């Protein structure tokens, strides 16, 4: 069994990527060394290390371990910046390598070496400035998971080697009404993970990057039993559908929930809805995802929104609907599916306003509302729930230089069901 001498903070800071890999292959800590499982280590060497490296016997230094995993930096390492990522420089939305500086770890900060980052349709809306007001250069990504490599003064929840996650927010005022009830997403001073500014005016940059420094209060603990890669999408897609189910009381076993759009958010709504014991109906634009929705994701019913007969047969059948559609679509057809007093919650954010079908709403006493991600406390609750139920995203893992193609495919709804960037495998400083 290979044993690696426990690195000092200075050694971790000079090889954070390698430390993050060590934490994944050797979770058992003692004061002097960590013990790696030979088979796991061998797999990691194949994926992330030197092709020529072999699994060592006995005890080795951290420097030797790091050498096994050294990789060529991404592009020419022409700068002294401490972070590298992929950024859009303007609203053409094309992403390319970009280096920049993150702040040093200060009081209350947690430094996370990013292992994986999910790709959300909001990333695409924002790099293309579809919602207006985008600030560039923009490093997107708000479904972030990784390994803690350093903590600042006063941090109690995390230590180097822990797994950690960051979602759509990295700071807020912490004193306003919404902050005090942990609904920080509505704080007027909320700092979103990217396309947003810190109070000192610096641009916040997201998770398509090698590391991030975040306040402990905005850092989430990840359930031990869930793999890092498929957990990343819970940080946005997961909480965005969990929160309205809880807030609008669409969480009682046996309730009938509709999910419109079977993409990243939609497929998480199916899994979380089933985890809560709901009867889940998917409403999709074509037959293409029917079999998988039912057999793999566990949906109970599947309706094609373009098929008038199928839509008619489901009239007045649902207590609530979560609408995740990212483009213009017909809302009145959805209100028709609601029972009296049913609730339609919009979470998808098309770039144009939708028509409000007043007649349909009036005749159903329907409630139409919206919902924005979820607060930090509820995000932790959702992660714990997913840990208990074994719920993760269904992902297609990609190297970071595939991101522009991934965006094109996402726009065609050609992803089952979330792209996740293998940051540690494809983005080396
Ligand atoms: P996604 O993976 O691209 O999924 C969107 C799904 O919507 C597609 O898979 C497709 O499902 C359906 N769709 C796409 N175009 C359509 C059209 N013209 N008509 C009808 N259905 C269509 O995107 P996502 O990452 O899940 O995000 C979905 C939306 O939620 C985006 O607008 C995103 O910005 C927003 N969002 C909001 C929040 C929030 O806090 N409110 C958080 C995250 C994301 P089918 O193939 O099944 O038809
Ligand atoms: Zn998102």
């Amino acid at each position: 069994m290979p044993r690696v001498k426990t690195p000092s903070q200075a050694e971790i800071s000079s090889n954070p990527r390698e430390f993050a890999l060590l934490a994944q292959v050797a979770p058992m800590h003692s004061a002097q060394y960590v013990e790696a499982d030979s088979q796991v280590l061998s797999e990691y060497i194949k994926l992330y290390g030197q092709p020529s490296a072999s699994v060592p016997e006995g005890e080795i230094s951290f420097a030797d371990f790091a050498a096994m995993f050294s990789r060529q930096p991404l592009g020419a390492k022409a700068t002294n910046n401490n972070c590298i990522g992929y950024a859009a420089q303007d609203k053409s939305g094309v992403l390319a390598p970009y280096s920049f500086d993150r702040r040093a770890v200060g009081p209350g900060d947690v430094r996370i070496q990013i292992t994986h980052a999910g790709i959300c349709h909001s990333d695409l809306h924002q790099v293309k400035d579809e919602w207006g007001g985008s600030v560039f250069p923009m490093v997107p990504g708000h479904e972030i998971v990784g390994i803690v490599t350093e903590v600042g003064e006063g941090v109690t929840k995390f230590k180097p080697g822990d797994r950690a996650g960051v979602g759509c927010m990295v700071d807020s005022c912490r004193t306003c009404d919404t902050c005090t009830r942990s609904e920080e997403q509505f704080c007027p001073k909320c700092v979103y993970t990217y396309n947003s500014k810190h109070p000192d005016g610096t641009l916040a940059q997201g998770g398509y990057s090698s590391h991030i420094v975040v306040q402990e209060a905005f850092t989430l603990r990840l359930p031990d039993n869930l793999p890092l890669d498929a957990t990343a999408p819970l940080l946005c897609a997961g909480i965005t559908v969990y929160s309205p189910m809880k807030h609008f009381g669409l969480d009682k076993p046996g309730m009938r929930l509709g999910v419109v759009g079977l993409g990243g958010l939609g497929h998480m709504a199916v899994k979380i809805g089933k985890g809560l014991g709901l009867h889940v109906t998917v409403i999709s634009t074509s037959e293409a995802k029917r079999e998988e929705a039912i057999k793999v994701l566990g949906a109970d019913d599947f309706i094609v929104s373009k098929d008038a007969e199928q839509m008619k047969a489901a009239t007045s059948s649902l207590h609530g609907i979560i609408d995740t559609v990212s483009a213009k679509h017909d809302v009145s057809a959805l209100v028709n599916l609601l029972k009296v007093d049913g609730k339609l919650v919009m979470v998808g954010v098309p770039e144009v306003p939708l028509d409000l079908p007043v007649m349909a709403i009036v005749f159903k006493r329907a409630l139409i509302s919206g919902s924005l991600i979820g607060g930090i406390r509820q995000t932790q609750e959702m992660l714990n729930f997913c840990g208990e139920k074994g719920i993760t995203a269904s992902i297609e893992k990609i190297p970071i230089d595939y991101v522009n193609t991934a965006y094109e495919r996402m726009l065609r709804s050609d992803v089952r069901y979330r792209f996740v960037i293998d940051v540690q495998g494809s983005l080396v400083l």
Side-chain angles (χ1 to χ4, degrees), residues 121-122 125 262 264-265 284-285 289 324 347-349 371 373 418:
H121 205 115
S122 303
H125 288 304
L262 197 58
L265 267 55
S284 185
T285 46
K289 298 172 183 168
T324 76
V347 293
V349 187
S371 190
I373 45 173
R418 198 56 140 186

Side-chain angles (χ1 to χ4, degrees), residues 119-126 131 142-143 168 236-237 239-241 259-267 282-286 288-289 302 305-306 323-330 346-351 370-374 409-415 417-418:
I119 295 183
C120 177
H121 205 115
S122 303
D123 301 344
L124 179 52
H125 288 304
Q126 290 176 92
W131 295 337
H142 55 208
E143 294 184 337
C168 302
C236 172
I239 183 60
T240 300
V241 297
V259 174
V260 194
L262 197 58
L265 267 55
H267 97 289
V282 171
I283 300 138
S284 185
T285 46
S286 77
K289 298 172 183 168
F302 189 96
S305 52
K306 290 182 177 152
D323 182 341
T324 76
V325 174
S326 49
K328 191 163 170 67
H329 60 290
D330 177 18
M346 314 301 297
V347 293
V349 187
E351 59 184 292
S371 190
L372 176 66
I373 45 173
R409 285 184 49 198
M410 182 163 63
L411 214 42
R412 298 197 300 266
S413 303
D414 175 24
V415 47
Y417 284 89
R418 198 56 140 186

Side-chain angles (χ1 to χ4, degrees), residues 17-18 21 41-54 65-72 424-425 428:
R17 173 179 172 270
E18 292 73 13
L21 288 161
L41 180 54
S42 144
E43 277 164 29
Y44 268 70
I45 291 174
K46 267 190 229 135
L47 283 171
Y48 304 116
Q50 288 284 334
S52 57
S54 57
F65 178 88
M68 294 192 311
F69 286 95
S70 71
R71 281 251 170 120
Q72 279 298 100
Q424 66 182 357
V428 179

Side-chain angles (χ1 to χ4, degrees), residues 69-117:
F69 286 95
S70 71
R71 281 251 170 120
Q72 279 298 100
L74 183 86
K77 204 181 162 199
T79 81
N80 289 322
N81 294 125
N82 66 18
C83 190
I84 187 164
Y86 261 55
Q89 296 293 337
D90 53 50
K91 65 182 182 184
S92 68
V94 176
L95 295 170
Y98 171 68
S99 67
F100 60 105
D101 279 317
R102 298 239 189 232
R103 68 171 183 263
V105 172
D109 276 338
V110 177
R111 183 194 184 285
I112 300 169
Q113 189 68 24
I114 299 173
T115 60
H116 305 89

Side-chain angles (χ1 to χ4, degrees), residues 8-9 15 51 76 87 96 120 141 226 239 276 305 310 314 324 330-332 336 342 348 364 366 388 392 395 407 416:
S8 64
Q9 183 62 58
N15 286 97
C120 177
L226 304 182
I239 183 60
L276 289 166
S305 52
Q310 289 185 33
T324 76
D330 177 18
V331 177
S332 97
N336 261 345
K364 284 282 168 68
E388 278 161 31
T392 54
I395 63 167
Y407 279 5
R416 307 251 164 118

Side-chain angles (χ1 to χ4, degrees), residues 13 68 94 121 135 149 157 167 236 241 261 281 296-297 301-302 320 341 387 409:
S13 296
M68 294 192 311
V94 176
H121 205 115
V135 274
T149 61
K157 273 195 314 187
C236 172
V241 297
T281 300
V296 181
L297 302 177
D301 281 327
F302 189 96
D341 288 325
R409 285 184 49 198

